[in-house]
PDB file of all heavy atoms in Angstrom:
ATOM      1  N   GLY A 487      16.045   7.753 -12.310  1.00 80.00           N
ATOM      2  CA  GLY A 487      16.867   8.936 -12.526  1.00 80.00           C
ATOM      3  C   GLY A 487      17.160   9.651 -11.227  1.00 80.00           C
ATOM      4  O   GLY A 487      16.820   9.168 -10.134  1.00 80.00           O
ATOM      5  N   ALA A 488      17.785  10.806 -11.333  1.00 87.00           N
ATOM      6  CA  ALA A 488      18.134  11.592 -10.151  1.00 87.00           C
ATOM      7  C   ALA A 488      16.897  12.001  -9.365  1.00 87.00           C
ATOM      8  O   ALA A 488      16.927  12.088  -8.130  1.00 87.00           O
ATOM      9  CB  ALA A 488      18.923  12.821 -10.566  1.00 87.00           C
ATOM     10  N   LEU A 489      15.785  12.241 -10.074  1.00 91.00           N
ATOM     11  CA  LEU A 489      14.567  12.651  -9.398  1.00 91.00           C
ATOM     12  C   LEU A 489      14.053  11.558  -8.464  1.00 91.00           C
ATOM     13  O   LEU A 489      13.554  11.845  -7.373  1.00 91.00           O
ATOM     14  CB  LEU A 489      13.493  13.018 -10.427  1.00 91.00           C
ATOM     15  CG  LEU A 489      12.178  13.579  -9.874  1.00 91.00           C
ATOM     16  CD1 LEU A 489      12.434  14.781  -8.965  1.00 91.00           C
ATOM     17  CD2 LEU A 489      11.233  13.958 -11.011  1.00 91.00           C
ATOM     18  N   SER A 490      14.185  10.304  -8.884  1.00 91.00           N
ATOM     19  CA  SER A 490      13.775   9.186  -8.027  1.00 91.00           C
ATOM     20  C   SER A 490      14.578   9.180  -6.731  1.00 91.00           C
ATOM     21  O   SER A 490      14.033   8.970  -5.639  1.00 91.00           O
ATOM     22  CB  SER A 490      13.966   7.855  -8.757  1.00 91.00           C
ATOM     23  OG  SER A 490      13.107   7.754  -9.874  1.00 91.00           O
ATOM     24  N   GLY A 491      15.878   9.408  -6.853  1.00 92.00           N
ATOM     25  CA  GLY A 491      16.722   9.463  -5.670  1.00 92.00           C
ATOM     26  C   GLY A 491      16.361  10.615  -4.749  1.00 92.00           C
ATOM     27  O   GLY A 491      16.339  10.471  -3.516  1.00 92.00           O
ATOM     28  N   TRP A 492      16.066  11.780  -5.333  1.00 94.00           N
ATOM     29  CA  TRP A 492      15.667  12.930  -4.540  1.00 94.00           C
ATOM     30  C   TRP A 492      14.371  12.667  -3.786  1.00 94.00           C
ATOM     31  O   TRP A 492      14.248  13.017  -2.603  1.00 94.00           O
ATOM     32  CB  TRP A 492      15.519  14.152  -5.448  1.00 94.00           C
ATOM     33  CG  TRP A 492      14.783  15.297  -4.815  1.00 94.00           C
ATOM     34  CD1 TRP A 492      13.580  15.801  -5.173  1.00 94.00           C
ATOM     35  CD2 TRP A 492      15.214  16.086  -3.683  1.00 94.00           C
ATOM     36  NE1 TRP A 492      13.214  16.845  -4.358  1.00 94.00           N
ATOM     37  CE2 TRP A 492      14.201  17.046  -3.426  1.00 94.00           C
ATOM     38  CE3 TRP A 492      16.353  16.057  -2.869  1.00 94.00           C
ATOM     39  CZ2 TRP A 492      14.298  17.961  -2.397  1.00 94.00           C
ATOM     40  CZ3 TRP A 492      16.442  16.984  -1.829  1.00 94.00           C
ATOM     41  CH2 TRP A 492      15.431  17.925  -1.612  1.00 94.00           C
ATOM     42  N   LEU A 493      13.407  12.033  -4.445  1.00 95.00           N
ATOM     43  CA  LEU A 493      12.129  11.742  -3.795  1.00 95.00           C
ATOM     44  C   LEU A 493      12.291  10.730  -2.664  1.00 95.00           C
ATOM     45  O   LEU A 493      11.551  10.773  -1.676  1.00 95.00           O
ATOM     46  CB  LEU A 493      11.120  11.236  -4.831  1.00 95.00           C
ATOM     47  CG  LEU A 493      10.711  12.257  -5.904  1.00 95.00           C
ATOM     48  CD1 LEU A 493       9.757  11.631  -6.902  1.00 95.00           C
ATOM     49  CD2 LEU A 493      10.081  13.502  -5.265  1.00 95.00           C
ATOM     50  N   MET A 494      13.271   9.838  -2.785  1.00 95.00           N
ATOM     51  CA  MET A 494      13.578   8.915  -1.689  1.00 95.00           C
ATOM     52  C   MET A 494      14.063   9.697  -0.460  1.00 95.00           C
ATOM     53  O   MET A 494      13.660   9.408   0.675  1.00 95.00           O
ATOM     54  CB  MET A 494      14.647   7.909  -2.113  1.00 95.00           C
ATOM     55  CG  MET A 494      14.196   6.888  -3.121  1.00 95.00           C
ATOM     56  SD  MET A 494      15.553   5.784  -3.623  1.00 95.00           S
ATOM     57  CE  MET A 494      15.840   4.873  -2.086  1.00 95.00           C
ATOM     58  N   ILE A 495      14.921  10.680  -0.690  1.00 95.00           N
ATOM     59  CA  ILE A 495      15.432  11.508   0.409  1.00 95.00           C
ATOM     60  C   ILE A 495      14.295  12.277   1.069  1.00 95.00           C
ATOM     61  O   ILE A 495      14.208  12.362   2.304  1.00 95.00           O
ATOM     62  CB  ILE A 495      16.511  12.477  -0.117  1.00 95.00           C
ATOM     63  CG1 ILE A 495      17.732  11.696  -0.619  1.00 95.00           C
ATOM     64  CG2 ILE A 495      16.921  13.470   0.968  1.00 95.00           C
ATOM     65  CD1 ILE A 495      18.770  12.549  -1.303  1.00 95.00           C
ATOM     66  N   VAL A 496      13.415  12.833   0.243  1.00 96.00           N
ATOM     67  CA  VAL A 496      12.269  13.583   0.765  1.00 96.00           C
ATOM     68  C   VAL A 496      11.393  12.675   1.629  1.00 96.00           C
ATOM     69  O   VAL A 496      10.998  13.042   2.753  1.00 96.00           O
ATOM     70  CB  VAL A 496      11.435  14.176  -0.394  1.00 96.00           C
ATOM     71  CG1 VAL A 496      10.114  14.750   0.123  1.00 96.00           C
ATOM     72  CG2 VAL A 496      12.234  15.253  -1.119  1.00 96.00           C
ATOM     73  N   ALA A 497      11.080  11.484   1.124  1.00 95.00           N
ATOM     74  CA  ALA A 497      10.218  10.550   1.862  1.00 95.00           C
ATOM     75  C   ALA A 497      10.836  10.156   3.197  1.00 95.00           C
ATOM     76  O   ALA A 497      10.156  10.121   4.226  1.00 95.00           O
ATOM     77  CB  ALA A 497       9.949   9.314   1.006  1.00 95.00           C
ATOM     78  N   GLY A 498      12.134   9.862   3.184  1.00 94.00           N
ATOM     79  CA  GLY A 498      12.809   9.481   4.421  1.00 94.00           C
ATOM     80  C   GLY A 498      12.845  10.610   5.440  1.00 94.00           C
ATOM     81  O   GLY A 498      12.616  10.397   6.646  1.00 94.00           O
TER      82      GLY A 498
END
Side-chain angles (χ1 to χ4, degrees):
L489 185 54
S490 295
W492 165 246
L493 295 178
M494 290 177 68
I495 295 173
V496 170

